[in-house]
C-alpha cells in the first residue's frame, strides 16, 4: 500500500474546526487506499505562549528545559488530531517524537536527526491506523527530549517520508504553493506547478519563506517529492522534485528579494596571508553573520575587501568595522546600510545564455543602480538601494515573463 | 545523604512567582544537605483548559489520547520549575513520568503504578542535581503515556518517596495542614500536628478533601511519613504517619461531614438467598455508587433493606428504586434525599469506651435527630437531616474537645 505523509503547520491546526479539516484530509487519503502518517505542529500561537512563560521564569532558560517545554505544544496537537479522526469513526493513534523513533543528536533546540526507528509506526499502519506524529521533536540517545529548530516539523515530515519510502510528503500551509516571487510585492506573481529542489533551496536561502532549507535538502537527498499546498482549498499546490529536462527549458523559475542588508567595505587591506581569515574570524566571534564576500584586485600590496551582513544592530556592525580597521591596519572602512538583494533563480540558467544581460538591461531601463553583482550556477543576484528594491524586483520579474 | 520528596500541587506552581517560591523551597532543602526530588502538578487551571480543548474536538475522546493530552500539563510545569532552580544558580533537571521510570499498567486515565526504575533519577541525584518529576503520569509496557487519575501527583510523590527510601514526602498545598474538621464549617477547628495513616484514610473517604486515599495507602504500605503543609508559609503542617502509643491516648482525632446523601429503604424484601445480591448488582449496573448498607431483621419471610447513595441525579435514583421494587416483588420503597453523614474518627477508639455515648448525648442535647448509625473499628457515623448537619458537626466537634 502506498504511503503518504501529510504535514499540518500551526495555522492548519489552530482551532477545533481546522483540526477537523486536517482530520478529513487524512481520512480522504486513507480511504483512497493509502497508509497515512500525519505530522503536526503546535497549534497557532502555542509556541509563543510557552516561550513567554519561560521568559517569565528565567532570563536565559537552559536549552534542554526549553526543549522539554516546547515539545508539549506538538503533543497537544497530536492528541487532538487523533481524537478528531476517531470522532469521525476512523482508527488513529498519536505518537510523540520519541514514540515515533525519531532519534537525534543532543544539540538541544537545534538537534539533527540521526536515525528513525519506524518499526512501531509501521506496526500501527499495518493495523490500518492513521498515525499522527509530533513534528519538531525527537529524543537523544539518553532519552532526553530534543527539538529540531526552525522549520522542524517540515524536517520531521520529510525525514519520515524518506524513512517510510512514501509516495509524497504533502506540506499543508496557509499559502497555496510556491510563487515565482512574493505576491505581496509583485501582484503578477504566479503559482508554480513544479520547482526543483536546487531552485527551492536557493529561493529559501534568498528570502522565500515557505519552507526551511533543511527539509528541502533532506527531500533532495532521499528523492522525496514534496507537495506544498493550502490547507484551506483542494487545489493542487507546488511540487518540489528533481529537475526534469522540460523544467530546464525555462531559464528563470523565480525571483526573490532580501532586505535589510548592510555592506562593509574595507579599503587598503594589507595583502598578506592570513589577514582575510583573521578579519572573518573576528566578525564571526562577534556573532555577526556574513552573507556575501567580494574582493577586488588592487595594488600588489593592498586589496579592497567587501562583505554584506544582515545584522539587527547597526551600531554593533559599525563598531566591528572600526575595530577591524584598527586591528588589521586598514586604511579606511565604509559601512552602508539600507541595501537589498534581488535574485533570479533557475536550473535552466545552466544551458541558457543571456540571463544576466536580460536582468541588467531591465534594471538599467528602470534606472535602478546596481551596487554589486554575485552569481552562482543557478542564481544571479544584484545589490540595490532598498528604496529601489521593490521596483527592481518587479521589472526583473516582468523581464523574464514570470507573471501570470 | 537523606532524600526528601517535595510535591507541589497546581495552585503552588500557578504562576512565575509561585514557581520561584517552589524553587526556593527545593534549594533550601538541598542546601540543608538532602538529595531533593520535586514532583509537580500542572499549573493552575491547565488541566481544565486541556479537557475543554478535547471536548471541542470530540464528544467522547479516547482515554489513550486524553492521557497524551493531559500529560503535557505536568511537562510544562517541570520544565519551568527546572528553569527557575537553574536561574537561582543551582543544578536541576526535569523528567517526564517515562524518564523517571514510572512504569504503570495500561488502564488509561486510571493507571496504577507497577514499578519504578529509579536508576536514572539516582544518577542525577548523585551528580548533585535537584530532580523535578512530572506528577500524575507514567508509561505502560508499550511506552504509551498513561495518567494516574484523581490525586495522581500525590501518588507519584509518595511512590517515589517509597522507592527512594526518602525521609519524608512533603505535600505542599494551599491549606496549612489537616484539620480536626473543615474550618469553613467549624471555626474552632484546629490544625493537627500528627495523624495516623488509618485515620487519614477514613477522613479522606468520609469527606476531608486534602489528600486522595490512594497516596495515603501507599504511604502506609511503605511507611513513608507524609508531611502536608502550606506552600505559602514556613509553618510545619500535619505529619501523616504510623500511630504511636501516645496518639492512641486521644479517642477522637477528627470529625467529618459528607453531604448530598440519599437513603433508599426497601420494605418487605423477600427473604430468599440471592435477592440482596441481585438488588446490588442491579444498582451497580446503573452506575449508582452505594455508600452504606443496613439490614434490619424482620419477619422470617421478609426483611427491610436500606442503603445510602451519593448520586447526582435524584430522578435516576427514584427510577432505580421503583424498578427494584417491581423486579424483586418488594412491598414498598422509600427514597429520602437531603441527608448528611457526620463521623468521628480516631485510632484511640480501639481502647476508649464511651465514644458512641458521648456522641449521641451531644446530638441529643442539640436536638439533632439521628436517622441511622454505622460504626467501624475507628469510625462512628450518624446519618442526619442535611438542614441539621452543620450544627451536628459543631456539637460533636465540641463534645470531643477537638477545638483550638
Amino acid at each position: 500500500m502506498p504511503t503518504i505523509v501529510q504535514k499540518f503547520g500551526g495555522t492548519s491546526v489552530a482551532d477545533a474546526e481546522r483540526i477537523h479539516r486536517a482530520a478529513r484530509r487524512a481520512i480522504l487519503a486513507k480511504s483512497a487506499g493509502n497508509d497515512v502518517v500525519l505530522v503536526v505542529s503546535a497549534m497557532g500561537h502555542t509556541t509563543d505562549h510557552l516561550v513567554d512563560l519561560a521568559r517569565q521564569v528565567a532570563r536565559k532558560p537552559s536549552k534542554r528545559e526549553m526543549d522539554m517545554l516546547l515539545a508539549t505544544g506538538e503533543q497537544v496537537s497530536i492528541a487532538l488530531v487523533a481524537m478528531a479522526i476517531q470522532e469521525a469513526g476512523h482508527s488513529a493513534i498519536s505518537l510523540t517524537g520519541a514514540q515515533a523513533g525519531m532519534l537525534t543528536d543532543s544539540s538541544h533546540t537545534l538537534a539533527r536527526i540521526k536515525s528513525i526507528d519506524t518499526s512501531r509506526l509501521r506496526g500501527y499502519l499495518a493495523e490500518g491506523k492513521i498515525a499522527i506524529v509530533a513534528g519538531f521533536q525527537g529524543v537523544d540517545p539518553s532519552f532526553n527530549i530534543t527539538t529540531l529548530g526552525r522549520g522542524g516539523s517540515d524536517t520531521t515530515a520529510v525525514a519520515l517520508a524518506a524513512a517510510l519510502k512514501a509516495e509524497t510528503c504533502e506540506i499543508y500551509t496557509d499559502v497555496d504553493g510556491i510563487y515565482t516571487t512574493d505576491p505581496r510585492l509583485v501582484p503578477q506573481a504566479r503559482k508554480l506547478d513544479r520547482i526543483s529542489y536546487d531552485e527551492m533551496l536557493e529561493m529559501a536561502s534568498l528570502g522565500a519563506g515557505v519552507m526551511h532549507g533543511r527539509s528541502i535538502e533532506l527531500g533532495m537527498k532521499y528523492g522525496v517529492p514534496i507537495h506544498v499546498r493550502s490547507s484551506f482549498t483542494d487545489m493542487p499546490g507546488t511540487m518540489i522534485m528533481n529537475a526534469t529536462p522540460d523544467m530546464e527549458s525555462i531559464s528563470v523559475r523565480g525571483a526573490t528579494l532580501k532586505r535589510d542588508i548592510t555592506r562593509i567595505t574595507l579599503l587598503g587591506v594589507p595583502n598578506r596571508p592570513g589577514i582575510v581569515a583573521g578579519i572573518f574570524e573576528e566578525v564571526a566571534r562577534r556573532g555577526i553573520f556574513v552573507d556575501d564576500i567580494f574582493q577586488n584586485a588592487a595594488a600588489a600590496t593592498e586589496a579592497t575587501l567587501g562583505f554584506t551582513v544582515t545584522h539587527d544592530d547597526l551600531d554593533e556592525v559599525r563598531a566591528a568595522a572600526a575595530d577591524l580597521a584598527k586591528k588589521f591596519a586598514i586604511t579606511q572602512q565604509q559601512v552602508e546600510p539600507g541595501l537589498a538583494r534581488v535574485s533570479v533563480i533557475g536550473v535552466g540558467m545552466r544551458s541558457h545564455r543571456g540571463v544576466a544581460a536580460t536582468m541588467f538591461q531591465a534594471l538599467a531601463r528602470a534606472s535602478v543602480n546596481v551596487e554589486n553583482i554575485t552569481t552562482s550556477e543557478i542564481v544571479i543576484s544584484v545589490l540595490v538601494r532598498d528604496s529601489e528594491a521593490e521596483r527592481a524586483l518587479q521589472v526583473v520579474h516582468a523581464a523574464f515573463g514570470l507573471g501570470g
Side-chain angles (χ1 to χ4, degrees), chain A:
Chain A
M1 203 178 268
T3 302
I4 288 187
V5 174
Q6 299 184 323
K7 180 257 171 178
F8 293 90
T11 51
S12 306
V13 292
D15 55 39
E17 191 202 322
R18 291 181 186 193
I19 284 171
H20 279 292
R21 195 181 294 155
R24 281 197 296 275
R25 284 210 189 268
I27 291 167
L28 218 62
K30 177 74 188 156
S31 305
N34 301 288
D35 279 344
V36 180
V37 176
L38 265 60
V39 173
V40 295
S41 302
M43 294 171 75
H45 299 289
T46 305
T47 304
D48 293 344
H49 167 68
L50 292 171
V51 169
D52 183 52
L53 273 178
R55 298 251 177 280
Q56 286 175 33
V57 169
R59 283 159 306 172
K60 202 174 174 329
S62 82
K63 289 181 175 181
R64 182 192 184 275
E65 299 305 333
M66 275 310 278
D67 280 355
M68 179 66 95
L69 181 69
L70 294 185
T72 62
E74 283 73 24
Q75 192 172 327
V76 167
S77 297
I78 57 172
L80 294 174
V81 172
M83 288 174 190
I85 295 174
Q86 291 166 350
E87 180 79 2
H90 290 258
S91 188
I93 190 153
S94 69
L95 299 167
T96 63
Q99 290 172 342
M102 195 67 61
L103 189 71
T104 72
D105 63 19
S106 301
S107 311
H108 284 291
T109 75
L110 281 173
R112 304 198 62 106
I113 299 169
K114 305 300 282 180
S115 64
I116 306 180
D117 176 358
T118 57
S119 52
R120 181 171 183 169
L121 195 50
R122 283 178 202 274
Y124 291 131
L125 295 178
E127 290 170 14
K129 287 189 167 72
I130 296 174
I132 303 102
V133 175
F136 180 66
Q137 60 180 247
V139 275
D140 78 357
S142 306
F143 202 57
N144 293 298
I145 295 174
T146 56
T147 67
L148 307 178
R150 252 193 80 206
S153 288
D154 289 343
T155 306
T156 303
V158 176
L160 269 179
L164 294 167
K165 301 196 192 343
E167 297 270 297
T168 14
C169 179
E170 298 183 335
I171 306 285
Y172 287 91
T173 176
D174 50 358
V175 297
D176 58 359
I178 310 294
Y179 276 70
T180 49
T181 195
D182 187 340
R184 289 167 300 185
L185 301 179
V186 184
Q188 295 80 9
R190 190 172 45 80
K191 194 186 74 187
L192 295 163
D193 295 332
R194 299 177 303 171
I195 187 171
S196 73
Y197 297 117
D198 288 314
E199 290 165 338
M200 191 66 234
L201 264 176
E202 294 288 356
M203 298 265 287
S205 82
L206 292 165
V210 177
M211 283 195 77
H212 199 257
R214 243 162 99 192
S215 52
I216 305 162
E217 276 171 28
L218 260 180
M220 178 157 67
K221 184 169 173 190
Y222 294 101
V224 179
I226 301 170
H227 188 178
V228 178
R229 57 190 303 188
S230 166
S231 54
F232 306 115
T233 74
D234 288 328
M235 300 289 290
T238 303
M239 192 65 86
I240 310 175
M241 54 191 285
N242 280 314
T244 56
D246 72 304
M247 281 171 82
E248 290 177 11
S249 68
I250 294 164
S251 61
V252 170
R253 185 82 50 211
T256 59
L257 173 59
K258 199 170 185 181
R259 312 192 95 138
D260 294 322
I261 292 174
T262 300
R263 177 167 58 181
I264 292 120
T265 310
L266 304 174
L267 300 163
V269 177
N271 212 346
R272 285 200 313 273
I275 292 277
V276 172
I279 288 171
F280 288 111
E281 261 169 39
E282 181 66 21
V283 172
R285 203 183 54 73
R286 289 166 177 262
I288 297 174
F289 182 75
V290 172
D291 246 353
D292 265 333
I293 299 172
F294 20 87
Q295 183 165 10
N296 299 350
T301 55
E302 288 184 348
T304 299
L305 179 69
F307 56 93
T308 58
V309 301
T310 47
H311 196 70
D312 290 341
D313 189 336
L314 192 59
D315 287 341
E316 264 182 42
V317 174
R318 285 190 206 281
D323 285 359
L324 285 175
K326 196 181 290 176
K327 186 164 181 183
F328 294 100
I330 286 162
T331 323
Q332 195 192 336
Q333 81 277 6
Q334 293 169 355
V335 175
E336 298 162 87
L339 296 170
R341 179 181 295 109
V342 175
S343 308
V344 294
I345 299 103
V347 287
M349 266 182 221
R350 290 171 183 147
S351 46
H352 287 73
R353 289 155 191 275
V355 174
T358 303
M359 185 169 183
F360 300 143
Q361 280 158 14
L363 291 167
R365 265 199 307 274
S367 304
V368 174
N369 195 34
V370 173
E371 300 274 333
N372 193 74
I373 301 167
T374 46
T375 61
S376 78
E377 204 189 354
I378 65 165
V379 181
I380 303 174
S381 292
V382 295
L383 213 58
V384 300
R385 311 278 351 149
D386 194 79
S387 54
E388 299 181 332
E390 290 191 24
R391 192 153 49 89
L393 181 67
Q394 282 156 3
V395 300
V396 167
H397 189 264
F400 288 102
L402 294 176

